Amino acid sequence: MNSASRPSHHTENGFENRYPLPESKKSFFTFLRLRLLGRESWPKAKKQIGKTPVVAPNLDAIHTPDPNVAQVTWIGHSTVLLQYQGINILTDPVFSDRASPFAHIGPKRYSPPGLAINQLPKINIILLSHNHYDHCDIESLRQIGKEPTYIVPLKNASLLKEAGIDSCIEMDWDQFAEVNGVKIVHTPSYHWSSRKISDRKEMLWGGYALTFPNGFKFYFVGDSGWNEQLFAEMGEKYGPFDLGLIPIGAYDPRDFMKAAHVNPEEAVLIKQTMGIKQAIAIHWGTFVLTAEPVDEPPKRLRIALEQAGLNPDHFLALPVGGMHHHMPTPSQD
Ligand code: ZN
Ligand code: ZN
């Protein structure tokens, strides 16, 4: 495809963010490279205190869900089980001990998965947001196997092949697909991708907006930094949503992280901008990727919600294994 005919976020070898912000001098990539070369230790590692709350999963509810209630179980990090209208959807399945290409090095789980793979109900749809190791774990995908329909961003199909899964739906931003009667749009996020040293932004990244047959709308942000123009445009185009999964962690040090991950205050902006009635916090308490204390994101989230004048019950940080029932109503926030 020549550059005149390709979409603006497509590059020669991969993809670029929509509405790029001025690049920080200290990128997340530089930070990771320095870490991998051993020149940068985890900043303020001693600050990584605090516990992630963990509860036993409600297996009865998971295996006999009420189809009229949207039931969300936080398995940890960005791994969430959404059950609604007889359809079971799993986001970014990671059940392994480390978010890393290696068995013995790389970020180790800080809290156990809230549900084991063999406790999962039959999964209809898997939504994969991007190829980072804390979201795309080949071993977990291999164990889950071929049965679900896999939805992945462009160029990510090769990762599924590594896991022995040869069919999937690869999507570009703003593209539609329909699975089990659910309309799925792949939404852009402000992020990047990489599995190796030299494959930065070669595979696409993003989130998903789903519309169920009865009109119920669900949004999974994926990983994203804050980009006002991007979210405003998406909110206009795809919002509002009944339910949404919004990342709140991995934000410090801010210089490195702001182009990759929102902080809790920006997570609240996503909720407001996208018109998400009920939000569930993800991307915290599971893998220690960054410098903030493990239990800081939900505390800051609560303060940010109060400062924005929002009901804290409308943006919940569940314990690992925790469940939320959302009964869609026509009323406003
Ligand atoms: Zn990521
Ligand atoms: Zn991540």
Side-chain angles (χ1 to χ4, degrees):
M1 208 187 282
N2 67 42
S3 56
S5 64
R6 74 182 173 218
S8 61
H9 65 286
H10 289 219
T11 63
E12 196 90 358
N13 304 311
F15 305 94
E16 193 42 84
N17 280 304
R18 191 172 280 170
Y19 314 130
L21 301 168
E23 282 267 341
S24 161
K25 274 178 273 160
K26 298 172 173 178
S27 72
F28 185 40
F29 182 63
T30 311
F31 171 70
L32 277 187
R33 196 175 51 208
L34 290 171
R35 278 217 57 234
L36 288 170
L37 296 173
R39 286 182 203 145
E40 180 97 27
S41 59
W42 284 121
K44 303 174 203 148
K46 57 183 175 305
K47 272 187 72 189
Q48 287 167 3
I49 46 164
K51 265 211 158 337
T52 310
V54 180
V55 297
N58 183 345
L59 293 175
D60 277 352
I62 286 167
H63 290 283
T64 52
D66 178 346
N68 298 313
V69 176
Q71 177 170 285
V72 176
T73 307
W74 188 44
I75 298 173
H77 210 58
S78 297
T79 313
V80 169
L81 174 64
L82 167 68
Q83 302 175 274
Y84 188 50
Q85 301 221 307
I87 298 170
N88 296 330
I89 297 172
L90 190 64
T91 60
D92 287 352
V94 179
F95 293 82
S96 297
D97 265 358
R98 285 183 197 277
S100 160
F102 313 108
H104 304 291
I105 54 171
K108 190 167 164 37
R109 276 197 105 92
Y110 192 79
S111 53
L115 204 60
I117 288 182
N118 61 15
Q119 291 176 313
L120 288 171
K122 175 190 153 76
I123 300 296
N124 303 99
I125 301 170
I126 291 194
L127 302 173
L128 192 77
S129 68
H130 65 300
N131 73 7
H132 284 151
Y133 286 93
D134 56 320
H135 299 260
C136 176
D137 176 52
I138 302 299
E139 192 44 41
S140 298
L141 297 173
R142 194 194 314 277
Q143 285 182 38
I144 292 166
K146 296 179 180 179
E147 214 182 326
T149 300
Y150 285 82
I151 313 286
V152 305
L154 281 185
K155 300 271 181 81
N156 285 254
S158 59
L159 290 169
L160 296 188
K161 289 217 168 71
E162 277 181 49
I165 297 152
D166 9 77
S167 88
C168 67
I169 300 175
E170 263 194 348
M171 296 180 78
D172 200 355
W173 288 344
D174 302 306
Q175 202 180 327
F176 281 85
E178 190 167 331
V179 182
N180 299 107
V182 180
K183 287 199 178 68
I184 302 173
V185 186
H186 185 34
T187 48
S189 72
Y190 192 74
H191 201 60
W192 57 295
S193 70
S194 159
R195 297 282 286 181
K196 300 174 283 199
I197 293 294
S198 60
D199 67 340
R200 183 172 157 81
K201 293 183 176 172
E202 284 180 9
M203 297 181 189
L204 190 59
W205 57 92
Y208 296 94
L210 274 56
T211 308
F212 282 70
N214 67 350
F216 173 81
K217 287 172 79 178
F218 168 77
Y219 175 45
F220 169 39
V221 176
D223 271 3
S224 190
W226 174 243
N227 183 316
E228 192 176 347
Q229 191 179 0
L230 180 70
F231 281 99
E233 187 179 281
M234 280 197 291
E236 192 93 343
K237 208 164 168 184
Y238 299 122
F241 295 91
D242 298 277
L243 186 67
L245 309 177
I246 309 181
I248 65 164
Y251 46 78
D252 274 348
R254 208 65 201 121
D255 261 6
F256 290 123
M257 298 301 166
K258 69 175 177 222
H261 301 139
V262 291
N263 61 24
E265 296 76 34
E266 292 162 335
V268 170
L269 290 177
I270 292 181
K271 180 190 188 300
Q272 294 175 304
T273 310
M274 300 298 287
I276 301 168
K277 204 179 285 179
Q278 176 67 54
I280 305 290
I282 56 169
H283 210 262
W284 73 278
T286 314
F287 295 107
V288 178
L289 303 169
T290 47
E292 79 269 10
V294 173
D295 60 351
E296 185 185 86
K299 292 180 188 162
R300 264 174 72 166
L301 174 64
R302 225 184 151 79
I303 295 166
L305 287 165
E306 274 163 21
Q307 282 173 350
L310 297 177
N311 181 343
D313 290 344
H314 293 173
F315 195 161
L316 293 172
L318 298 172
V320 166
M323 183 178 271
H324 176 71
H325 288 118
H326 183 67
M327 178 74 90
T329 58
S331 67
Q332 294 304 302
D333 198 21

